[in-house]
Amino acid sequence: MAFAEGEPEGETEGGAGAEPGSETGTAAGPGTTRPGGRTARVREAVLRAAGDVLVERGFAHLDLADVARRAEVGKTTVYRRWGTVTGLVTDLLSDMARQSVPRTETGSLLGDLTANTRLVGRTLADPRQGALFKAVIAAATCDPKAAEALHGFYAVRVAEWAPCVAQAAARGEVPEGTDAHEVVRAASAPLYYRLLTTTLPLDEAAADRAATAAAVAARAGAYVRDV
Protein backbone atom coordinates (compact mmCIF):
# COMPACT_ATOMS: atom_id res chain seq x y z
CA MET A 1 0.00 0.00 0.00
CA ALA A 2 1.23 3.48 -0.74
CA PHE A 3 -0.13 6.83 0.10
CA ALA A 4 0.30 10.40 -1.07
CA GLU A 5 2.70 12.42 1.03
CA GLY A 6 0.66 15.54 1.32
CA GLU A 7 -2.61 16.72 2.63
CA PRO A 8 -6.03 16.20 1.09
CA GLU A 9 -7.03 18.71 -1.57
CA GLY A 10 -10.49 17.64 -2.70
CA GLU A 11 -11.45 18.35 -6.29
CA THR A 12 -13.59 15.32 -7.08
CA GLU A 13 -17.06 15.23 -5.61
CA GLY A 14 -17.97 12.14 -3.63
CA GLY A 15 -18.73 10.94 -0.13
CA ALA A 16 -22.13 11.32 1.46
CA GLY A 17 -23.76 13.39 -1.25
CA ALA A 18 -23.08 16.73 -2.87
CA GLU A 19 -24.17 20.19 -1.99
CA PRO A 20 -25.67 22.68 -4.39
CA GLY A 21 -24.06 26.01 -4.98
CA SER A 22 -21.30 25.94 -7.58
CA GLU A 23 -20.20 29.16 -9.10
CA THR A 24 -22.58 28.53 -11.97
CA GLY A 25 -25.48 27.87 -9.62
CA THR A 26 -26.05 24.25 -10.68
CA ALA A 27 -26.32 21.34 -8.31
CA ALA A 28 -23.56 18.75 -8.11
CA GLY A 29 -24.11 15.01 -7.90
CA PRO A 30 -21.74 12.42 -6.48
CA GLY A 31 -18.76 11.88 -8.73
CA THR A 32 -18.95 15.33 -10.28
CA THR A 33 -15.61 17.01 -10.93
CA ARG A 34 -15.56 20.74 -10.41
CA PRO A 35 -11.91 21.91 -10.45
CA GLY A 36 -11.55 25.27 -8.75
CA GLY A 37 -15.28 25.64 -8.00
CA ARG A 38 -16.80 26.64 -4.69
CA THR A 39 -17.81 23.07 -3.90
CA ALA A 40 -14.22 21.87 -4.38
CA ARG A 41 -12.88 24.64 -2.15
CA VAL A 42 -15.40 23.86 0.58
CA ARG A 43 -14.55 20.16 0.47
CA GLU A 44 -10.83 20.87 0.60
CA ALA A 45 -11.21 23.15 3.61
CA VAL A 46 -13.48 20.72 5.47
CA LEU A 47 -11.29 17.66 4.83
CA ARG A 48 -8.20 19.56 5.91
CA ALA A 49 -9.95 20.68 9.10
CA ALA A 50 -11.14 17.13 9.77
CA GLY A 51 -7.58 15.88 9.38
CA ASP A 52 -6.38 18.55 11.80
CA VAL A 53 -8.84 17.43 14.46
CA LEU A 54 -7.95 13.76 14.00
CA VAL A 55 -4.24 14.55 14.35
CA GLU A 56 -4.69 16.86 17.34
CA ARG A 57 -7.48 15.16 19.29
CA GLY A 58 -8.40 11.82 17.72
CA PHE A 59 -11.62 10.35 16.35
CA ALA A 60 -13.48 10.57 19.67
CA HIS A 61 -13.29 14.37 19.53
CA LEU A 62 -14.19 14.78 15.86
CA ASP A 63 -17.26 17.02 15.79
CA LEU A 64 -18.95 18.37 12.66
CA ALA A 65 -19.66 21.78 14.20
CA ASP A 66 -16.01 22.15 15.24
CA VAL A 67 -14.84 21.10 11.77
CA ALA A 68 -17.16 23.66 10.18
CA ARG A 69 -15.78 26.38 12.46
CA ARG A 70 -12.19 25.49 11.65
CA ALA A 71 -12.92 25.31 7.93
CA GLU A 72 -14.80 28.61 8.07
CA VAL A 73 -17.83 27.18 6.31
CA GLY A 74 -21.47 27.01 7.35
CA LYS A 75 -22.36 24.31 9.85
CA THR A 76 -25.47 23.49 7.82
CA THR A 77 -23.32 22.83 4.76
CA VAL A 78 -21.19 20.32 6.64
CA TYR A 79 -24.17 18.52 8.17
CA ARG A 80 -26.03 18.41 4.86
CA ARG A 81 -23.11 17.06 2.86
CA TRP A 82 -21.39 14.65 5.27
CA GLY A 83 -24.13 13.96 7.81
CA THR A 84 -21.98 12.15 10.40
CA VAL A 85 -18.37 12.10 11.53
CA THR A 86 -18.03 8.66 9.98
CA GLY A 87 -19.24 10.05 6.67
CA LEU A 88 -16.59 12.72 6.94
CA VAL A 89 -13.84 10.20 7.71
CA THR A 90 -15.02 8.07 4.79
CA ASP A 91 -14.69 11.01 2.43
CA LEU A 92 -11.30 11.91 3.85
CA LEU A 93 -10.03 8.37 3.20
CA SER A 94 -11.56 8.42 -0.29
CA ASP A 95 -9.71 11.63 -1.05
CA MET A 96 -6.44 10.26 0.32
CA ALA A 97 -6.77 7.15 -1.84
CA ARG A 98 -7.46 9.24 -4.92
CA GLN A 99 -4.31 11.28 -4.33
CA SER A 100 -2.05 8.35 -3.56
CA VAL A 101 1.20 8.15 -5.48
CA PRO A 102 0.92 5.80 -8.49
CA ARG A 103 2.63 2.42 -8.45
CA THR A 104 6.30 2.32 -9.39
CA GLU A 105 7.55 -0.26 -11.91
CA THR A 106 11.23 -1.15 -11.56
CA GLY A 107 11.35 -4.44 -13.50
CA SER A 108 11.83 -6.68 -10.46
CA LEU A 109 9.64 -7.80 -7.59
CA LEU A 110 12.12 -6.66 -4.95
CA GLY A 111 12.50 -3.28 -6.62
CA ASP A 112 8.75 -2.76 -6.83
CA LEU A 113 8.12 -3.86 -3.24
CA THR A 114 10.95 -1.65 -2.03
CA ALA A 115 9.42 1.35 -3.82
CA ASN A 116 6.15 0.52 -2.07
CA THR A 117 7.58 0.11 1.43
CA ARG A 118 9.75 3.18 1.18
CA LEU A 119 6.73 5.24 0.22
CA VAL A 120 4.67 3.76 3.04
CA GLY A 121 7.52 4.36 5.47
CA ARG A 122 7.93 8.00 4.45
CA THR A 123 4.21 8.57 4.77
CA LEU A 124 3.89 6.97 8.18
CA ALA A 125 7.02 8.76 9.43
CA ASP A 126 5.54 12.13 8.47
CA PRO A 127 4.36 13.84 11.70
CA ARG A 128 0.95 14.74 10.31
CA GLN A 129 0.29 11.72 8.13
CA GLY A 130 1.50 9.21 10.70
CA ALA A 131 -0.72 10.74 13.38
CA LEU A 132 -3.64 10.82 10.96
CA PHE A 133 -3.33 7.12 10.16
CA LYS A 134 -3.04 6.26 13.86
CA ALA A 135 -6.27 8.16 14.53
CA VAL A 136 -8.18 6.54 11.68
CA ILE A 137 -6.95 3.05 12.62
CA ALA A 138 -8.01 3.68 16.22
CA ALA A 139 -11.44 4.80 14.98
CA ALA A 140 -11.78 1.61 12.97
CA THR A 141 -11.39 -0.49 16.12
CA CYS A 142 -14.52 0.97 17.70
CA ASP A 143 -16.70 2.17 14.83
CA PRO A 144 -17.91 -0.35 12.22
CA LYS A 145 -18.48 2.30 9.55
CA ALA A 146 -15.03 3.77 10.10
CA ALA A 147 -13.64 0.23 9.79
CA GLU A 148 -15.52 -0.26 6.53
CA ALA A 149 -14.11 3.01 5.19
CA LEU A 150 -10.58 2.06 6.21
CA HIS A 151 -10.91 -1.38 4.61
CA GLY A 152 -12.08 0.28 1.41
CA PHE A 153 -9.10 2.62 1.46
CA TYR A 154 -6.61 -0.21 1.78
CA ALA A 155 -8.40 -2.28 -0.84
CA VAL A 156 -7.77 0.53 -3.33
CA ARG A 157 -4.11 0.82 -2.39
CA VAL A 158 -3.44 -2.93 -2.45
CA ALA A 159 -5.14 -3.25 -5.83
CA GLU A 160 -2.92 -0.45 -7.14
CA TRP A 161 0.25 -2.40 -6.31
CA ALA A 162 -0.91 -5.98 -6.87
CA PRO A 163 0.05 -5.99 -10.58
CA CYS A 164 3.75 -5.90 -9.62
CA VAL A 165 3.35 -9.43 -8.23
CA ALA A 166 1.46 -10.64 -11.30
CA GLN A 167 4.28 -9.26 -13.45
CA ALA A 168 6.82 -11.03 -11.25
CA ALA A 169 4.94 -14.31 -11.78
CA ALA A 170 5.02 -13.74 -15.54
CA ARG A 171 8.79 -13.26 -15.33
CA GLY A 172 9.16 -16.45 -13.29
CA GLU A 173 10.24 -14.65 -10.11
CA VAL A 174 7.47 -16.16 -8.01
CA PRO A 175 5.38 -19.32 -8.43
CA GLU A 176 2.20 -19.29 -10.45
CA GLY A 177 -0.82 -18.88 -8.18
CA THR A 178 0.93 -16.44 -5.84
CA ASP A 179 -1.67 -14.25 -4.11
CA ALA A 180 -0.62 -10.77 -5.21
CA HIS A 181 -2.74 -8.98 -2.63
CA GLU A 182 -1.26 -11.01 0.22
CA VAL A 183 2.28 -10.21 -0.92
CA VAL A 184 1.57 -6.47 -1.04
CA ARG A 185 -0.04 -6.55 2.40
CA ALA A 186 2.88 -8.56 3.79
CA ALA A 187 5.37 -6.00 2.50
CA SER A 188 3.92 -3.04 4.36
CA ALA A 189 2.59 -4.85 7.45
CA PRO A 190 5.86 -4.64 9.44
CA LEU A 191 5.87 -0.86 9.01
CA TYR A 192 2.38 -0.51 10.49
CA TYR A 193 3.35 -2.82 13.35
CA ARG A 194 6.37 -0.62 14.02
CA LEU A 195 4.24 2.54 13.88
CA LEU A 196 1.59 1.25 16.27
CA THR A 197 3.61 -0.79 18.78
CA THR A 198 7.07 0.81 19.04
CA THR A 199 8.93 4.10 18.94
CA LEU A 200 11.51 2.73 16.50
CA PRO A 201 12.20 4.87 13.42
CA LEU A 202 10.38 4.25 10.17
CA ASP A 203 13.52 4.68 8.10
CA GLU A 204 14.62 3.26 4.75
CA ALA A 205 16.42 0.39 6.46
CA ALA A 206 13.13 -0.78 8.01
CA ALA A 207 11.33 -0.34 4.70
CA ASP A 208 13.98 -2.28 2.80
CA ARG A 209 13.92 -5.16 5.30
CA ALA A 210 10.15 -5.41 5.01
CA ALA A 211 10.31 -5.50 1.21
CA THR A 212 13.09 -8.09 1.20
CA ALA A 213 11.26 -10.36 3.64
CA ALA A 214 8.08 -10.26 1.55
CA ALA A 215 9.97 -10.88 -1.69
CA VAL A 216 11.92 -13.83 -0.25
CA ALA A 217 8.77 -15.39 1.16
CA ALA A 218 6.91 -14.91 -2.12
CA ARG A 219 9.72 -16.55 -4.10
CA ALA A 220 9.63 -19.50 -1.68
CA GLY A 221 5.93 -20.00 -2.37
CA ALA A 222 4.64 -18.76 1.00
CA TYR A 223 1.79 -16.87 -0.65
CA VAL A 224 0.63 -19.43 -3.20
CA ARG A 225 -3.15 -19.74 -2.96
CA ASP A 226 -4.54 -22.98 -1.60
CA VAL A 227 -6.23 -24.97 -4.37
Side-chain angles (χ1 to χ4, degrees):
M1 294 155 284
F3 317 104
E5 294 180 77
E7 297 168 9
E9 308 174 354
E11 289 184 352
T12 303
E13 297 295 331
E19 69 171 292
S22 73
E23 292 175 328
T24 61
T26 58
T32 302
T33 301
R34 197 188 309 284
R38 177 181 177 276
T39 300
R41 293 196 299 273
V42 167
R43 182 171 182 249
E44 177 182 1
V46 169
L47 295 185
R48 183 181 296 274
D52 288 344
V53 176
L54 286 171
V55 169
E56 295 167 15
R57 307 186 67 196
F59 179 76
H61 297 282
L62 187 62
D63 176 76
L64 295 186
D66 181 37
V67 169
R69 179 186 59 78
R70 289 174 179 243
E72 299 182 343
V73 303
K75 183 168 63 175
T76 302
T77 296
V78 175
Y79 277 96
R80 182 172 65 241
R81 172 162 180 166
W82 286 278
T84 65
V85 294
T86 304
L88 186 53
V89 170
T90 299
D91 197 21
L92 177 62
L93 286 168
S94 174
D95 192 65
M96 292 168 65
R98 184 184 62 82
Q99 295 188 63
S100 296
V101 176
R103 175 171 60 94
T104 299
E105 294 188 33
T106 67
S108 73
L109 178 64
L110 178 58
D112 291 353
L113 292 180
T114 299
N116 175 284
T117 57
R118 286 187 178 184
L119 178 58
V120 172
R122 289 195 302 271
T123 301
L124 297 182
D126 179 82
R128 177 184 172 86
Q129 293 287 74
L132 182 57
F133 276 104
K134 280 184 177 180
V136 174
I137 291 169
T141 66
C142 60
D143 186 296
K145 290 186 177 179
E148 183 180 353
L150 187 65
H151 297 162
F153 172 83
Y154 284 117
V156 171
R157 300 315 307 136
V158 170
E160 169 74 20
W161 284 82
C164 76
V165 183
Q167 291 167 356
R171 292 191 297 263
E173 287 189 72
V174 297
E176 290 295 329
T178 295
D179 189 323
H181 291 73
E182 282 298 303
V183 174
V184 174
R185 283 191 284 262
S188 60
L191 302 177
Y192 283 93
Y193 189 84
R194 181 173 281 233
L195 172 74
L196 296 171
T197 68
T198 78
T199 58
L200 296 172
L202 285 159
D203 51 19
E204 282 197 354
D208 292 355
R209 281 195 301 272
T212 298
V216 169
R219 292 190 193 109
Y223 300 107
V224 174
R225 300 182 192 88
D226 293 332
V227 179

PDB file of all heavy atoms in Angstrom, residues 169-194:
ATOM      1  N   ALA A 169       5.297 -12.929 -11.440  1.00  0.00           N
ATOM      2  CA  ALA A 169       4.945 -14.311 -11.778  1.00  0.00           C
ATOM      3  C   ALA A 169       5.162 -14.566 -13.263  1.00  0.00           C
ATOM      4  O   ALA A 169       5.665 -15.630 -13.653  1.00  0.00           O
ATOM      5  CB  ALA A 169       3.497 -14.588 -11.388  1.00  0.00           C
ATOM      6  N   ALA A 170       4.823 -13.593 -14.092  1.00  0.00           N
ATOM      7  CA  ALA A 170       5.018 -13.744 -15.536  1.00  0.00           C
ATOM      8  C   ALA A 170       6.500 -13.837 -15.889  1.00  0.00           C
ATOM      9  O   ALA A 170       6.878 -14.491 -16.869  1.00  0.00           O
ATOM     10  CB  ALA A 170       4.368 -12.570 -16.268  1.00  0.00           C
ATOM     11  N   ARG A 171       7.346 -13.192 -15.090  1.00  0.00           N
ATOM     12  CA  ARG A 171       8.795 -13.256 -15.329  1.00  0.00           C
ATOM     13  C   ARG A 171       9.415 -14.497 -14.710  1.00  0.00           C
ATOM     14  O   ARG A 171      10.618 -14.736 -14.862  1.00  0.00           O
ATOM     15  CB  ARG A 171       9.477 -12.011 -14.736  1.00  0.00           C
ATOM     16  CG  ARG A 171       9.158 -10.709 -15.433  1.00  0.00           C
ATOM     17  CD  ARG A 171      10.078  -9.583 -14.939  1.00  0.00           C
ATOM     18  NE  ARG A 171       9.888  -9.301 -13.523  1.00  0.00           N
ATOM     19  CZ  ARG A 171       9.117  -8.332 -13.026  1.00  0.00           C
ATOM     20  NH1 ARG A 171       8.432  -7.546 -13.867  1.00  0.00           N
ATOM     21  NH2 ARG A 171       9.006  -8.140 -11.731  1.00  0.00           N
ATOM     22  N   GLY A 172       8.642 -15.252 -13.939  1.00  0.00           N
ATOM     23  CA  GLY A 172       9.164 -16.446 -13.286  1.00  0.00           C
ATOM     24  C   GLY A 172       9.825 -16.169 -11.954  1.00  0.00           C
ATOM     25  O   GLY A 172      10.504 -17.048 -11.403  1.00  0.00           O
ATOM     26  N   GLU A 173       9.622 -14.986 -11.391  1.00  0.00           N
ATOM     27  CA  GLU A 173      10.242 -14.650 -10.112  1.00  0.00           C
ATOM     28  C   GLU A 173       9.532 -15.310  -8.939  1.00  0.00           C
ATOM     29  O   GLU A 173      10.156 -15.561  -7.894  1.00  0.00           O
ATOM     30  CB  GLU A 173      10.243 -13.131  -9.904  1.00  0.00           C
ATOM     31  CG  GLU A 173      11.222 -12.362 -10.753  1.00  0.00           C
ATOM     32  CD  GLU A 173      11.278 -10.904 -10.310  1.00  0.00           C
ATOM     33  OE1 GLU A 173      11.836 -10.639  -9.225  1.00  0.00           O
ATOM     34  OE2 GLU A 173      10.757 -10.041 -11.036  1.00  0.00           O
ATOM     35  N   VAL A 174       8.242 -15.527  -9.069  1.00  0.00           N
ATOM     36  CA  VAL A 174       7.469 -16.159  -8.010  1.00  0.00           C
ATOM     37  C   VAL A 174       6.611 -17.251  -8.636  1.00  0.00           C
ATOM     38  O   VAL A 174       6.343 -17.227  -9.850  1.00  0.00           O
ATOM     39  CB  VAL A 174       6.564 -15.143  -7.270  1.00  0.00           C
ATOM     40  CG1 VAL A 174       7.400 -14.082  -6.582  1.00  0.00           C
ATOM     41  CG2 VAL A 174       5.559 -14.498  -8.219  1.00  0.00           C
ATOM     42  N   PRO A 175       6.178 -18.222  -7.862  1.00  0.00           N
ATOM     43  CA  PRO A 175       5.382 -19.321  -8.428  1.00  0.00           C
ATOM     44  C   PRO A 175       4.035 -18.832  -8.972  1.00  0.00           C
ATOM     45  O   PRO A 175       3.479 -17.842  -8.498  1.00  0.00           O
ATOM     46  CB  PRO A 175       5.169 -20.257  -7.233  1.00  0.00           C
ATOM     47  CG  PRO A 175       6.213 -19.888  -6.240  1.00  0.00           C
ATOM     48  CD  PRO A 175       6.464 -18.427  -6.426  1.00  0.00           C
ATOM     49  N   GLU A 176       3.550 -19.546  -9.974  1.00  0.00           N
ATOM     50  CA  GLU A 176       2.197 -19.289 -10.445  1.00  0.00           C
ATOM     51  C   GLU A 176       1.220 -19.523  -9.293  1.00  0.00           C
ATOM     52  O   GLU A 176       1.418 -20.409  -8.464  1.00  0.00           O
ATOM     53  CB  GLU A 176       1.848 -20.222 -11.608  1.00  0.00           C
ATOM     54  CG  GLU A 176       2.598 -19.904 -12.895  1.00  0.00           C
ATOM     55  CD  GLU A 176       2.227 -18.546 -13.471  1.00  0.00           C
ATOM     56  OE1 GLU A 176       1.062 -18.113 -13.280  1.00  0.00           O
ATOM     57  OE2 GLU A 176       3.085 -17.909 -14.098  1.00  0.00           O
ATOM     58  N   GLY A 177       0.166 -18.738  -9.254  1.00  0.00           N
ATOM     59  CA  GLY A 177      -0.823 -18.877  -8.183  1.00  0.00           C
ATOM     60  C   GLY A 177      -0.484 -18.082  -6.943  1.00  0.00           C
ATOM     61  O   GLY A 177      -1.200 -18.168  -5.930  1.00  0.00           O
ATOM     62  N   THR A 178       0.596 -17.290  -6.979  1.00  0.00           N
ATOM     63  CA  THR A 178       0.931 -16.441  -5.835  1.00  0.00           C
ATOM     64  C   THR A 178      -0.161 -15.390  -5.655  1.00  0.00           C
ATOM     65  O   THR A 178      -0.577 -14.731  -6.603  1.00  0.00           O
ATOM     66  CB  THR A 178       2.286 -15.755  -6.048  1.00  0.00           C
ATOM     67  OG1 THR A 178       3.317 -16.760  -6.082  1.00  0.00           O
ATOM     68  CG2 THR A 178       2.595 -14.773  -4.929  1.00  0.00           C
ATOM     69  N   ASP A 179      -0.618 -15.231  -4.424  1.00  0.00           N
ATOM     70  CA  ASP A 179      -1.665 -14.254  -4.114  1.00  0.00           C
ATOM     71  C   ASP A 179      -1.034 -12.865  -4.059  1.00  0.00           C
ATOM     72  O   ASP A 179      -0.345 -12.511  -3.092  1.00  0.00           O
ATOM     73  CB  ASP A 179      -2.317 -14.603  -2.780  1.00  0.00           C
ATOM     74  CG  ASP A 179      -3.565 -13.771  -2.499  1.00  0.00           C
ATOM     75  OD1 ASP A 179      -3.570 -12.576  -2.847  1.00  0.00           O
ATOM     76  OD2 ASP A 179      -4.530 -14.312  -1.931  1.00  0.00           O
ATOM     77  N   ALA A 180      -1.264 -12.084  -5.089  1.00  0.00           N
ATOM     78  CA  ALA A 180      -0.623 -10.772  -5.205  1.00  0.00           C
ATOM     79  C   ALA A 180      -1.016  -9.847  -4.062  1.00  0.00           C
ATOM     80  O   ALA A 180      -0.182  -9.099  -3.523  1.00  0.00           O
ATOM     81  CB  ALA A 180      -0.986 -10.143  -6.551  1.00  0.00           C
ATOM     82  N   HIS A 181      -2.274  -9.877  -3.693  1.00  0.00           N
ATOM     83  CA  HIS A 181      -2.740  -8.980  -2.633  1.00  0.00           C
ATOM     84  C   HIS A 181      -2.081  -9.322  -1.294  1.00  0.00           C
ATOM     85  O   HIS A 181      -1.708  -8.418  -0.528  1.00  0.00           O
ATOM     86  CB  HIS A 181      -4.261  -9.055  -2.508  1.00  0.00           C
ATOM     87  CG  HIS A 181      -4.991  -8.462  -3.671  1.00  0.00           C
ATOM     88  ND1 HIS A 181      -5.056  -9.087  -4.901  1.00  0.00           N
ATOM     89  CD2 HIS A 181      -5.665  -7.295  -3.815  1.00  0.00           C
ATOM     90  CE1 HIS A 181      -5.749  -8.336  -5.733  1.00  0.00           C
ATOM     91  NE2 HIS A 181      -6.131  -7.237  -5.112  1.00  0.00           N
ATOM     92  N   GLU A 182      -1.904 -10.609  -1.032  1.00  0.00           N
ATOM     93  CA  GLU A 182      -1.258 -11.009   0.216  1.00  0.00           C
ATOM     94  C   GLU A 182       0.202 -10.560   0.254  1.00  0.00           C
ATOM     95  O   GLU A 182       0.709 -10.152   1.302  1.00  0.00           O
ATOM     96  CB  GLU A 182      -1.346 -12.524   0.394  1.00  0.00           C
ATOM     97  CG  GLU A 182      -2.694 -13.009   0.880  1.00  0.00           C
ATOM     98  CD  GLU A 182      -3.031 -12.451   2.251  1.00  0.00           C
ATOM     99  OE1 GLU A 182      -2.253 -12.658   3.188  1.00  0.00           O
ATOM    100  OE2 GLU A 182      -4.087 -11.802   2.378  1.00  0.00           O
ATOM    101  N   VAL A 183       0.879 -10.637  -0.873  1.00  0.00           N
ATOM    102  CA  VAL A 183       2.282 -10.205  -0.919  1.00  0.00           C
ATOM    103  C   VAL A 183       2.383  -8.708  -0.632  1.00  0.00           C
ATOM    104  O   VAL A 183       3.237  -8.267   0.144  1.00  0.00           O
ATOM    105  CB  VAL A 183       2.908 -10.536  -2.285  1.00  0.00           C
ATOM    106  CG1 VAL A 183       4.325  -9.956  -2.376  1.00  0.00           C
ATOM    107  CG2 VAL A 183       2.945 -12.041  -2.504  1.00  0.00           C
ATOM    108  N   VAL A 184       1.524  -7.920  -1.247  1.00  0.00           N
ATOM    109  CA  VAL A 184       1.566  -6.468  -1.036  1.00  0.00           C
ATOM    110  C   VAL A 184       1.271  -6.136   0.428  1.00  0.00           C
ATOM    111  O   VAL A 184       1.934  -5.285   1.041  1.00  0.00           O
ATOM    112  CB  VAL A 184       0.580  -5.757  -1.977  1.00  0.00           C
ATOM    113  CG1 VAL A 184       0.516  -4.269  -1.668  1.00  0.00           C
ATOM    114  CG2 VAL A 184       0.986  -5.977  -3.431  1.00  0.00           C
ATOM    115  N   ARG A 185       0.269  -6.802   0.994  1.00  0.00           N
ATOM    116  CA  ARG A 185      -0.040  -6.551   2.403  1.00  0.00           C
ATOM    117  C   ARG A 185       1.122  -6.955   3.301  1.00  0.00           C
ATOM    118  O   ARG A 185       1.450  -6.262   4.277  1.00  0.00           O
ATOM    119  CB  ARG A 185      -1.312  -7.301   2.799  1.00  0.00           C
ATOM    120  CG  ARG A 185      -2.593  -6.641   2.303  1.00  0.00           C
ATOM    121  CD  ARG A 185      -3.830  -7.271   2.940  1.00  0.00           C
ATOM    122  NE  ARG A 185      -4.137  -8.561   2.350  1.00  0.00           N
ATOM    123  CZ  ARG A 185      -5.042  -8.747   1.392  1.00  0.00           C
ATOM    124  NH1 ARG A 185      -5.719  -7.713   0.908  1.00  0.00           N
ATOM    125  NH2 ARG A 185      -5.281  -9.957   0.915  1.00  0.00           N
ATOM    126  N   ALA A 186       1.763  -8.083   2.972  1.00  0.00           N
ATOM    127  CA  ALA A 186       2.882  -8.559   3.790  1.00  0.00           C
ATOM    128  C   ALA A 186       4.058  -7.593   3.753  1.00  0.00           C
ATOM    129  O   ALA A 186       4.779  -7.447   4.748  1.00  0.00           O
ATOM    130  CB  ALA A 186       3.326  -9.943   3.313  1.00  0.00           C
ATOM    131  N   ALA A 187       4.236  -6.919   2.629  1.00  0.00           N
ATOM    132  CA  ALA A 187       5.373  -6.000   2.500  1.00  0.00           C
ATOM    133  C   ALA A 187       5.253  -4.810   3.438  1.00  0.00           C
ATOM    134  O   ALA A 187       6.231  -4.388   4.073  1.00  0.00           O
ATOM    135  CB  ALA A 187       5.493  -5.531   1.057  1.00  0.00           C
ATOM    136  N   SER A 188       4.067  -4.249   3.549  1.00  0.00           N
ATOM    137  CA  SER A 188       3.919  -3.041   4.364  1.00  0.00           C
ATOM    138  C   SER A 188       3.525  -3.330   5.811  1.00  0.00           C
ATOM    139  O   SER A 188       3.664  -2.455   6.676  1.00  0.00           O
ATOM    140  CB  SER A 188       2.887  -2.104   3.735  1.00  0.00           C
ATOM    141  OG  SER A 188       1.631  -2.733   3.633  1.00  0.00           O
ATOM    142  N   ALA A 189       3.059  -4.541   6.102  1.00  0.00           N
ATOM    143  CA  ALA A 189       2.586  -4.853   7.449  1.00  0.00           C
ATOM    144  C   ALA A 189       3.614  -4.568   8.547  1.00  0.00           C
ATOM    145  O   ALA A 189       3.260  -4.010   9.595  1.00  0.00           O
ATOM    146  CB  ALA A 189       2.131  -6.315   7.518  1.00  0.00           C
ATOM    147  N   PRO A 190       4.901  -4.921   8.370  1.00  0.00           N
ATOM    148  CA  PRO A 190       5.861  -4.639   9.444  1.00  0.00           C
ATOM    149  C   PRO A 190       5.984  -3.144   9.770  1.00  0.00           C
ATOM    150  O   PRO A 190       6.290  -2.775  10.910  1.00  0.00           O
ATOM    151  CB  PRO A 190       7.186  -5.184   8.881  1.00  0.00           C
ATOM    152  CG  PRO A 190       6.771  -6.222   7.895  1.00  0.00           C
ATOM    153  CD  PRO A 190       5.526  -5.688   7.273  1.00  0.00           C
ATOM    154  N   LEU A 191       5.748  -2.292   8.775  1.00  0.00           N
ATOM    155  CA  LEU A 191       5.867  -0.855   9.012  1.00  0.00           C
ATOM    156  C   LEU A 191       4.706  -0.342   9.867  1.00  0.00           C
ATOM    157  O   LEU A 191       4.901   0.499  10.754  1.00  0.00           O
ATOM    158  CB  LEU A 191       5.917  -0.110   7.685  1.00  0.00           C
ATOM    159  CG  LEU A 191       7.068  -0.543   6.767  1.00  0.00           C
ATOM    160  CD1 LEU A 191       7.010   0.200   5.441  1.00  0.00           C
ATOM    161  CD2 LEU A 191       8.418  -0.325   7.447  1.00  0.00           C
ATOM    162  N   TYR A 192       3.519  -0.883   9.641  1.00  0.00           N
ATOM    163  CA  TYR A 192       2.384  -0.513  10.486  1.00  0.00           C
ATOM    164  C   TYR A 192       2.568  -1.049  11.905  1.00  0.00           C
ATOM    165  O   TYR A 192       2.227  -0.366  12.886  1.00  0.00           O
ATOM    166  CB  TYR A 192       1.077  -1.032   9.879  1.00  0.00           C
ATOM    167  CG  TYR A 192       0.620  -0.194   8.722  1.00  0.00           C
ATOM    168  CD1 TYR A 192       0.975  -0.517   7.415  1.00  0.00           C
ATOM    169  CD2 TYR A 192      -0.151   0.945   8.925  1.00  0.00           C
ATOM    170  CE1 TYR A 192       0.576   0.265   6.349  1.00  0.00           C
ATOM    171  CE2 TYR A 192      -0.556   1.737   7.867  1.00  0.00           C
ATOM    172  CZ  TYR A 192      -0.193   1.389   6.576  1.00  0.00           C
ATOM    173  OH  TYR A 192      -0.589   2.170   5.527  1.00  0.00           O
ATOM    174  N   TYR A 193       3.086  -2.244  12.029  1.00  0.00           N
ATOM    175  CA  TYR A 193       3.352  -2.818  13.349  1.00  0.00           C
ATOM    176  C   TYR A 193       4.348  -1.936  14.104  1.00  0.00           C
ATOM    177  O   TYR A 193       4.171  -1.641  15.293  1.00  0.00           O
ATOM    178  CB  TYR A 193       3.901  -4.235  13.193  1.00  0.00           C
ATOM    179  CG  TYR A 193       4.018  -4.994  14.492  1.00  0.00           C
ATOM    180  CD1 TYR A 193       2.919  -5.674  15.019  1.00  0.00           C
ATOM    181  CD2 TYR A 193       5.219  -5.033  15.200  1.00  0.00           C
ATOM    182  CE1 TYR A 193       3.023  -6.375  16.218  1.00  0.00           C
ATOM    183  CE2 TYR A 193       5.324  -5.720  16.384  1.00  0.00           C
ATOM    184  CZ  TYR A 193       4.222  -6.386  16.896  1.00  0.00           C
ATOM    185  OH  TYR A 193       4.328  -7.074  18.088  1.00  0.00           O
ATOM    186  N   ARG A 194       5.369  -1.492  13.408  1.00  0.00           N
ATOM    187  CA  ARG A 194       6.372  -0.621  14.023  1.00  0.00           C
ATOM    188  C   ARG A 194       5.755   0.706  14.442  1.00  0.00           C
ATOM    189  O   ARG A 194       6.039   1.229  15.527  1.00  0.00           O
ATOM    190  CB  ARG A 194       7.520  -0.401  13.024  1.00  0.00           C
ATOM    191  CG  ARG A 194       8.654   0.474  13.550  1.00  0.00           C
ATOM    192  CD  ARG A 194       9.815   0.504  12.574  1.00  0.00           C
ATOM    193  NE  ARG A 194      10.625  -0.693  12.677  1.00  0.00           N
ATOM    194  CZ  ARG A 194      11.952  -0.693  12.865  1.00  0.00           C
ATOM    195  NH1 ARG A 194      12.617   0.446  12.941  1.00  0.00           N
ATOM    196  NH2 ARG A 194      12.609  -1.811  12.944  1.00  0.00           N
TER     197      ARG A 194
END
